[in-house]
Amino acid sequence: PDAFYSGNDSVKAVLTEAQLSSLVKELHKLYIGSAENFEVCFVEDSHFDSETVLGHYESLMEYICLKKSVFTEISAYELSLLYHEFAHHYQFVAMVGVGGEKYDTLLIKPSLEEVESWKAPYDSEDYEVYINHPMEVSARAFAYAWTGYNQG
């Protein structure tokens, strides 16, 4: 809905897990190609080590995991989290390849300079370093471009 593109966090929609998966698979088809092997997993909260972690991309895998309890009603915020995690999959495809997907097979390619910046050392223990890492900055920008929600 158009409300998502305003970045308005108070507008909520109810989407099924299948509908949310379909959204991300369409992004996969647009940016990477076939989404036949790509999955979106909605898992119980206990799967995550931290209450603040709402989703993650499994490096070098064909899936992202999202906290089931967070994705019951969707605002631009939740949608941006979904797109942010997809962006990490896209980044790994561009950097090192995932399965049969690699930079050369991407339908929409980032610049080689951007791909190289994503390879910088990544310290997820230091929040300031983590939040300012080029991979995180790029993933937030990607999510913002699609949802209008500024993750900060």
Side-chain angles (χ1 to χ4, degrees):
D2 288 341
F4 284 139
Y5 296 103
S6 70
N8 184 345
D9 198 31
S10 65
V11 176
K12 301 265 186 182
V14 177
L15 297 173
T16 66
E17 290 176 8
Q19 289 170 316
L20 291 167
S21 292
S22 179
L23 282 172
V24 179
K25 286 184 175 210
E26 289 302 316
L27 279 177
H28 196 287
K29 290 176 192 174
L30 179 64
Y31 281 81
I32 299 172
S34 170
E36 187 175 314
N37 296 321
F38 186 75
E39 297 295 327
V40 178
C41 306
F42 294 90
V43 297
E44 299 302 323
D45 294 6
S46 59
H47 172 83
F48 296 92
D49 294 337
S50 167
E51 288 184 27
T52 60
V53 175
L54 305 178
H56 63 86
Y57 166 64
E58 289 289 335
S59 301
L60 305 176
M61 303 300 287
E62 283 282 352
Y63 64 90
I64 57 176
C65 289
L66 303 167
K67 194 177 275 190
K68 187 181 259 190
S69 66
V70 173
F71 288 86
T72 55
E73 288 188 337
I74 308 303
S75 69
Y77 170 70
E78 287 84 10
L79 197 59
S80 75
L81 293 173
L82 183 68
Y83 286 19
H84 178 109
E85 295 308 328
F86 167 78
H88 287 317
H89 173 61
Y90 173 76
Q91 290 165 331
F92 272 86
V93 170
M95 287 188 305
V96 295
V98 177
E101 302 164 347
K102 56 188 177 208
Y103 183 86
D104 292 340
T105 63
L106 289 174
L107 300 177
I108 299 176
K109 293 176 174 58
S111 71
L112 291 173
E113 293 84 11
E114 185 170 24
V115 173
E116 283 304 311
S117 76
W118 295 338
K119 294 177 181 179
Y122 203 101
D123 180 3
S124 60
E125 299 301 316
D126 181 332
Y127 184 75
E128 285 302 313
V129 171
Y130 162 78
I131 202 74
N132 291 304
H133 188 280
M135 282 185 73
E136 292 301 323
V137 172
S138 178
R140 288 193 307 275
F142 179 87
Y144 176 77
W146 280 95
T147 66
Y149 187 86
N150 186 354
Q151 294 178 342

